[in-house]
């Protein structure tokens, strides 16, 4: 069952907070290994979703899931030794939220329903925010609030984008489930004006979480204040999940014959992100902030590449 990649870390996160921290670290590593094995099973095509109305396997989703699972497994091994050397005041909170974070990112990778994808990306914000505040300093509190407020506003705009896509279905006389796989089959019947408007809100909303400039301002502070294992998850996994939301919207417009419109927007945001990251990275002294701006540049490169297009894009 494909949904086990979501349920297992979710259940592990619910119980891990009540175990001694030494045992909790072992549970985290074991969960990471099980998740990786389940992911490899899904990639091999031997796992199918039970709730097919909401979840599905796509090449891009499985790629994000595999990258997330691979990164999480090795970060969990590193985090175990990291927490022995670095004092964390709320280690059970870290362990539990990390499990919830993995579950929400897995949900993003597998989501096919537009609203389920939105819920999953919003859940990644709520599950990762406590990881930024673990050191409980004034700067950590500021970074956490900035992360929650900016990303929540962005996610709210993405929800409006979802509503506009549904409106394009209504005006186009389309009556199908609001899943990306169903909409792909009737994309040319959707109202183009509201579909374009929906994509604009999607890229602003999910692009905020992805770290595209100029909506990137939360990212350097959040990465610099989070513990190193959590910062690695934010860079290596979370941003990819947010990009998946943008990519699914771009795919829908391409299938509707509007790929040039969404592609030009992606190229613009990509070039701007690369430019801003290249300018600000020179003034950074902390290596975490340098890596944060490097992540912004990487997301800009990805957006630029998808905007240009090619066989691998669609």
């Amino acid at each position: 069952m494909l949904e086990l990649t979501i349920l297992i870390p979710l259940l592990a996160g619910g119980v891990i907070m009540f175990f001694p921290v030494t045992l909790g670290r072992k549970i985290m590593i074991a969960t990471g290994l099980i998740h990786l094995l389940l992911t490899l099973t899904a990639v091999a095509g031997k796992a199918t979703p039970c709730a097919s109305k909401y979840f599905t396997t796509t090449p891009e989703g499985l790629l994000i899931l595999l990258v997330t699972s691979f990164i999480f497994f090795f970060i969990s091994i590193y985090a175990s030794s990291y927490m022995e050397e670095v004092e964390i005041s709320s280690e059970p909170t870290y362990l539990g939220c990390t499990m919830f974070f993995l579950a929400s990112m897995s949900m993003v990778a597998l989501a096919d329903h537009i609203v389920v994808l939105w819920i999953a990306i919003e859940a990644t914000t709520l599950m990762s925010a406590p990881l930024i505040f673990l050191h409980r300093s004034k700067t950590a509190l500021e970074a956490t609030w900035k992360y929650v407020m900016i990303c929540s506003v962005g996610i709210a705009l993405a929800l409006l984008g979802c509503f506009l896509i549904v409106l394009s279905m209504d005006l186009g006389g389309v009556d199908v489930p609001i899943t990306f796989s169903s909409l792909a089959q009737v994309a040319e019947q959707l109202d183009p004006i509201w579909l374009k408007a929906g994509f604009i809100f999607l890229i602003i909303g999910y692009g905020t979480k992805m770290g595209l400039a100029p909506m990137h301002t939360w990212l350097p502070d959040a990465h610099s204040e989070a513990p190193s294992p959590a910062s690695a998850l934010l860079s290596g996994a979370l941003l990819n999940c947010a990009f998946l939301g943008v990519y699914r919207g771009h795919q829908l417009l391409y299938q509707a014959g509007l790929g040039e419109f969404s592609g030009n927007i992606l190229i613009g945001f990509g070039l701007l992100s690369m430019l801003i990251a290249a300018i600000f990275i020179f003034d950074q002294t902390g290596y975490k902030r340098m890596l944060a701006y490097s992540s912004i540049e990487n997301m800009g490169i990805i957006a630029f590449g998808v905007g240009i297009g090619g066989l691998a894009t669609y």
Side-chain angles (χ1 to χ4, degrees):
M1 185 174 72
L2 193 62
E3 287 84 355
L4 287 176
T5 56
I6 304 171
L7 295 176
I8 288 179
L10 187 64
L11 293 175
V15 302
I16 201 171
M17 297 184 186
F18 303 100
F19 284 86
V21 291
T22 304
L23 180 58
R25 296 170 190 167
K26 295 178 181 178
I27 294 175
M28 178 177 64
I29 296 174
T31 302
L33 178 59
I34 294 171
H35 189 276
L36 181 58
L37 293 175
L38 289 170
T39 299
L40 292 174
T41 302
V43 172
K46 297 181 180 179
T48 56
C50 290
S52 56
K53 292 182 179 180
Y54 306 106
F55 302 104
T56 190
T57 55
T58 59
E60 62 275 10
L62 288 176
L63 176 61
I64 297 297
L65 183 64
L66 181 60
V67 170
T68 300
S69 186
F70 182 84
I71 291 174
F72 181 88
F73 175 60
F74 286 98
I75 285 178
S76 65
I77 297 174
Y78 167 72
S80 181
S81 58
Y82 174 87
M83 288 183 287
E84 291 179 357
E85 301 294 333
V86 179
E87 182 179 353
I88 296 180
S89 57
S90 302
E91 187 171 328
T93 301
Y94 171 84
L95 295 172
C97 288
T98 302
M99 295 290 99
F100 294 144
F101 193 24
L102 176 61
S104 59
M105 289 189 292
S106 301
M107 188 175 176
V108 171
L110 300 176
D112 187 31
H113 196 282
I114 289 180
V115 178
V116 171
L117 177 65
W118 179 86
I119 292 171
I121 294 179
E122 172 66 2
T124 60
T125 303
L126 301 177
M127 296 303 103
S128 56
L131 301 178
I132 301 172
F133 187 54
L134 276 176
H135 293 308
R136 300 186 181 278
S137 63
K138 182 178 179 180
T139 53
L141 178 62
E142 180 182 352
T144 303
W145 272 110
K146 183 182 290 187
Y147 171 61
V148 172
M149 293 300 295
I150 293 176
C151 288
S152 294
V153 171
I155 292 298
L157 294 176
L159 181 61
L160 179 57
C162 295
F163 290 157
L164 293 178
I165 291 176
V166 174
L167 179 60
S168 73
M169 293 172 58
D170 184 54
L171 295 178
V174 174
D175 184 17
V176 296
I178 51 175
T179 61
F180 289 102
S181 57
S182 297
L183 290 174
Q185 301 174 10
V186 295
E188 295 182 352
Q189 301 177 37
L190 302 177
D191 184 85
I193 295 177
W194 290 107
L195 188 58
K196 289 179 180 179
F199 178 77
I200 291 173
F201 280 96
L202 283 184
I203 194 171
I204 293 174
Y206 292 146
T208 300
K209 193 67 176 287
M210 182 179 165
L212 291 178
M215 300 88 69
H216 68 285
T217 52
W218 64 269
L219 200 149
D221 291 335
H223 283 235
S224 61
E225 292 300 327
S228 295
S231 181
L233 280 175
L234 290 172
S235 292
L238 175 63
L239 302 186
N240 297 333
C241 291
F243 163 71
L244 188 59
V246 174
Y247 181 77
R248 292 272 173 83
H250 175 56
Q251 271 188 321
L252 183 58
L253 263 74
Y254 177 80
Q255 289 150 351
L258 303 172
E260 184 177 357
F261 173 81
S262 56
N264 289 336
I265 294 177
L266 283 168
I267 290 172
F269 275 112
L271 290 174
L272 181 61
S273 299
M274 288 187 280
L275 176 63
I276 288 181
I279 293 173
F280 282 93
I281 200 170
F282 286 106
D283 294 331
Q284 307 308 314
T285 55
Y287 73 92
K288 281 188 178 181
R289 293 187 71 88
M290 291 181 66
L291 290 174
Y293 279 103
S294 175
S295 297
I296 295 170
E297 183 180 25
N298 291 338
M299 290 297 107
I301 292 172
I302 292 174
F304 179 75
V306 172
I308 291 176
L311 292 177
T313 304
Y314 310 110

